[in-house]
Amino acid sequence: MKDIQNKFKITLPAKSANEAFSRSVISAFIAQLDPTIEEICDIKTAVSEAVTNCIVHAYGSNYKDNQKLVIISAFFDKDGLVTIKIKDKGCGIHDIDKALTPMYTGGNSDERSGMGFSIMQCFSDKFSIKSTVGKGTTVTLKKYIGKHEE
């Protein structure tokens, strides 16, 4: 792991109001890297999609409100690589390959576009997902801010 310059971790209730809050938090965090407007928008969009997926898909009615959580952690290294993890402790994903298919939705297809993971991938330089059925899902987004070495 490269030299971590700064990091944070927050735990939020899985409520729709926290989607906007998570965008604000990540924007404030990366502001110290002097990102472009495009870089800020990319990260905000990817994080928003990940948090929305937690809120909409991770928890069913069998979870109590105090169990419905979204955990966001982020850090950046000296090269400007921001790593963001969005985690839930929900139902998990049965078939990640299927879930990654554009236009697929595990929710009500009349209300969902099925593009969440595609959007996260599009606005990240690197994207990964890990999920265990019955234990939850972690999405990892990586994005370079400014000039970097690859």
Side-chain angles (χ1 to χ4, degrees):
M1 183 179 298
K2 293 185 178 187
D3 185 29
I4 294 176
Q5 300 295 301
N6 202 356
K7 63 183 177 176
F8 81 89
K9 181 177 181 179
I10 59 172
T11 302
L12 305 167
K15 295 182 177 186
S16 60
N18 285 329
E19 180 189 344
F21 181 72
S22 65
R23 288 193 307 266
S24 298
V25 168
I26 200 65
S27 296
F29 180 70
I30 65 168
Q32 57 199 297
L33 294 171
D34 196 24
T36 65
I37 296 295
E38 182 178 349
E39 290 167 334
I40 290 172
C41 289
D42 287 355
I43 288 177
K44 285 172 59 174
T45 300
V47 167
S48 181
E49 287 296 326
V51 170
T52 298
N53 271 6
C54 291
I55 294 166
V56 172
H57 298 292
Y59 301 105
S61 60
N62 56 328
Y63 291 87
K64 295 177 184 172
D65 282 348
N66 66 348
Q67 295 174 314
K68 298 177 181 181
L69 302 173
V70 177
I71 300 110
I72 304 170
S73 61
F75 66 88
F76 62 83
D77 65 26
K78 63 183 175 70
D79 294 327
L81 177 62
V82 178
T83 301
I84 305 160
K85 293 187 179 197
I86 298 94
K87 179 180 180 176
D88 65 62
K89 295 181 178 183
C91 62
I93 299 171
H94 291 275
D95 187 340
I96 291 175
D97 290 334
K98 188 174 184 179
L100 289 170
T101 303
M103 307 304 287
Y104 172 80
T105 181
N108 182 337
S109 60
D110 294 337
E111 298 175 13
R112 302 285 161 207
S113 69
M115 295 300 292
F117 288 136
S118 297
I119 290 168
M120 288 178 234
Q121 288 174 311
C122 180
F123 288 106
S124 302
D125 292 327
K126 296 179 183 179
F127 168 87
S128 65
I129 184 168
K130 292 183 182 178
S131 189
T132 303
V133 174
K135 295 194 177 192
T137 301
T138 301
V139 170
T140 303
L141 311 167
K142 295 186 179 195
K143 179 83 173 171
Y144 283 100
I145 304 296
K147 297 180 181 177
H148 64 277
E149 298 174 20
E150 293 199 52

